[in-house]
Structures are given as C-alpha cells and as structure tokens.
Amino acid sequence: MKNTEFTRRAFLKSGVATSAALAAAPALLNGALAQEADLAPYKAAKIDWQQFKGETITVAVIPATYFDNLITLAPQFEALTGITVRFEKIPPAQIRQKSVIDLTSKTGTYATHAADPMYYSLYAANKWVEPMEAYLSDASLTDPNWFKLDDIVAAWRNANSVDGKLLGMPYDGEVTLQVYRKDLYDAKGLKPAEDLQTFVSNAAAVHNPDARVWGAALRGVAGAGQNVYIYSSLFREFGGQWFKDGRLTVNGPEAEAALTWYVDLMRKYAPAAAQNWNWPDIADAFSQGTIGTYVDAHSSASVVNNPEKSKVIGKVAYARWPKGPSGKRVTSIWNWGFPINAALPDKRKKATWFFIQWAACAETQARTAHRFAGPAKRSGVNRISIWQDPAYVGLMRGFGDNFVEATLASLQEDTDVDWRPRVPQWPAIGDTLATAIQSALAGQATAKAALDEAQRRVEPMMRG
C-alpha cells in the first residue's frame, strides 16, 4: 500500500510537471487567444500558408480527446491560413458508413475525415481519395525539410498506403502491447513473455479465481475491430498468409492453430464474460486488479492509470507482443489518418492538404500532446522525434515500467503491413471473420469448422 501511494503521487506529479512547463510555453493553446498565438514555428515552412484564404472545409472526426485537442487549436490554423474549418463529430460506429456514403455520392461534404486504414483499399479501388505524393512533392504546397514526412511512424504510413501510394496522413495511432501486473509477476519470479507459450504459462502461474484474479484476457466481442483485432496478429504469428495462390484464404492449419490458441487461453484463464468484452472492459477489469495480463492497444494505459478509478497504479509494466511459433511479433498496428476527398474542387483539395499538413506536423503534434494545456495528453502522436523527446517521454513514463521503450520498439520493429488482408471487400470480410471467431470462443463450433464456414462465405465476396 505504501509503495502504491508513492507511485500514485509520482504519476500525478508527472502530469503536474507537464502542466507547469506549459505555463511557460510560447504557444497559446486557448482557442479564444488564437489570433495571438505564436505561429512562428509554422511560418518557418517555405510556403505561402495564405494562398487558399477564404476557403471553408468540413472535417469529420470521432468524439475523442485526441481530436478534441486538435479542435481546440483549430483557431491557430485559421489564423495561419485564412481557411475556415468546421468539425463534425461522428461516433466511431457511424463515421465509416457516413464517410463512404459521402465519398460514393461525390458531394464532397467532408473535405477529410478520420479514416480507418482498412478502408483505403476500398477508397483506392474507387478513386475516392487523392494520392498524397502530388501534394508532398509540390514546393508551393509543402516544404519537405520542414514537414519531415519520414519522421512520421513508417508502419502507420505503410498501413495508409495502397500500391505504394500514400492515401491518408496518420494523425493519431496505436500499437498493441503486453500489459502485466509487475507485482504479481515479481511475487512468482516471472518475466514478461517473449513468446506465446510463456504468455500462457505466466497466465497459469498468476491465475487464482478464488482470489478474484484471472490469469489473462483478450478482446472477445465480435467485430472487425474487436476480436479480429487480436486474432489477426495471432494468425500472422502462427505463420498464416492471407493469400495462397492469389486466393484469399482464412482457413487452414495456421489459422486453426491461431484460433485454437486464442480459444484455449480464454477458456482456461479469462473470466467467462470476457468472450463479450471489448478493450475498455478488459482495461477496467485490469485496473480493478482482477486480470494478471492482457494484450491490447498501448493507449489503454491511460485507463489502467486513471487515478480516480485504478487500484493498480504503480504495479503496471509493459512488454512487446510475445513472439508466435513463426518467430515473429505482429502488432495490431492501427491509426486514424486524414485523406483528401477526390470530389472536391482543386483549390479546396489544396486547402484540405494545408489542414492535414498542419495537423500532422511536429509542432501541432506536440501542441496537442505533452504541450497541450488541458488535462488530456495524447499517447498516440505520429512522430518518432516526439517519442524521443525528453518532455514527452517523461510524461509517458508515468504509465508504468517500460511503457515508452516497449511502445517505441513495437512501432518501429513489430509491424506487419499485411496484418489484415487489405482488400476493398474488407468491411464484409472482417465481419464474417469476426462471427467465426466468436462462434469458436463461445464453443458453438470448433476452430476448424468456424474457419471453414468463414472461408465458404468469403469466397463469393472476392468474386464480387
């Protein structure tokens, strides 16, 4: 208890220190003072930010703190460019559908939107969004020495590219990590798992339901972004290939082995309800001290370290995804990116690029993260340089042991652009695969039967 109180204070202190540093920052982060904001870091770019003055664009985002921070700073963008930005907040469950409807109709309602990387193949097949190379290579639109595209997490850029063409600029993202109870592991002499076999044995060692501690939990609820989010990494780690002889294949020995591992872990060491849990449910359970370890987005660290709710602050540590039998670590790499709607008039496309460039540049990333005046500090910044910035690193270390090191290593090394099959038919295929996984987790079908049925349903989709 004493140790917990100490580390809880240390964690809170890290946030206070950041806020104190902000008081002396040159940037004025209050929207009401935007006209007086220090725009000098942006004007260092050798471009005319005012060349599209008078344009108005609408940007669709989800209700999330990382976008709220950006919205707060939008008056600075308007002062810099003379471009007016309207934001529309749309829940995650609807933003994909509304964006596709807008792109299909070619009305150009949304100049850009928070886009799911799994949708870019669909966008590319229909030419709904603009490849960004023309904007990046035009000296009147982009100063490459100022924007530094290569500083943006390569895995997220690759995830947003189709046939080598970047279609969406990463703004905020995540990577999956192993999150574990350091105190429980230390008591048993355990180390974080280097491979999936050790992950299971660690779960078994700390599993004690009589004391309301379950060994592990993974997302179980059905959904292309839920149970498929976990399964796809396992599939690749077991050596699975989405395409065999040019044919999308979701069944076979590697798929069965991956799903069987998933099912066995959940049945033996997860609470029974976990088969219907999404990531917030797991993070909440972990924060209450009832889960020994889980694998999920690194951003869930903010939940398990919520000082108002968590009982495990100071007891949390992180490690990279355990290796699979193939010897690979495969994170569920993901990000929200901004594409340019191809239906816009040319001048508005370029105005939209200015917004995207502003949102993704290092200065705005820092102002919406560790230098943001509000209480929410982003943990999904897109810049490697910020992940190496002592001010940002100092804040992130408050989440627990090895958080920054594990996250940065995963972002740079544990990626696989083919983590999921990037095909235009993905939305329907993802839902089909989610149903198969859920039926296996629920014991309604064997792994083989569930995946064979998924394969039978997927094949007509690929024939169009």
Side-chain angles (χ1 to χ4, degrees), residues 101-147:
I101 290 172
D102 181 50
L103 294 169
T104 304
S105 68
K106 299 185 185 302
T107 55
T109 300
Y110 304 121
T112 186
H113 64 276
D116 183 330
M118 288 308 299
Y119 276 60
Y120 285 119
S121 294
L122 176 64
Y123 292 177
N126 292 284
K127 298 181 179 178
W128 285 339
V129 299
E130 293 274 297
M132 293 189 158
E133 278 69 20
Y135 300 86
L136 287 161
S137 61
D138 187 334
S140 71
L141 300 177
T142 308
D143 178 350
N145 293 324
W146 177 83
F147 185 61

Side-chain angles (χ1 to χ4, degrees), residues 281-356:
D281 306 302
I282 297 173
D284 282 342
F286 184 88
S287 73
Q288 296 307 300
T290 61
I291 302 293
T293 185
Y294 69 100
V295 175
D296 215 299
H298 81 284
S299 53
S300 69
S302 62
V303 177
V304 304
N305 282 291
N306 183 339
E308 295 182 354
K309 298 180 180 178
S310 179
K311 299 178 180 177
V312 298
I313 293 175
K315 302 176 181 177
V316 186
Y318 306 85
R320 295 156 66 184
W321 246 112
K323 296 176 184 175
S326 69
K328 293 175 59 177
R329 305 178 197 266
V330 182
T331 64
S332 307
I333 196 91
W334 196 86
N335 73 95
W336 286 116
F338 285 125
I340 301 173
N341 190 330
L344 300 175
D346 185 65
K347 193 174 180 182
R348 202 171 304 156
K349 288 178 186 175
K350 293 174 178 174
T352 303
W353 166 247
F354 268 19
F355 168 79
I356 293 170

Side-chain angles (χ1 to χ4, degrees), residues 207-229:
H207 188 62
N208 186 5
D210 291 341
R212 296 197 57 74
V213 176
W214 282 262
L218 300 172
R219 296 186 192 192
V221 68
Q226 310 308 331
N227 54 11
V228 180
Y229 181 89

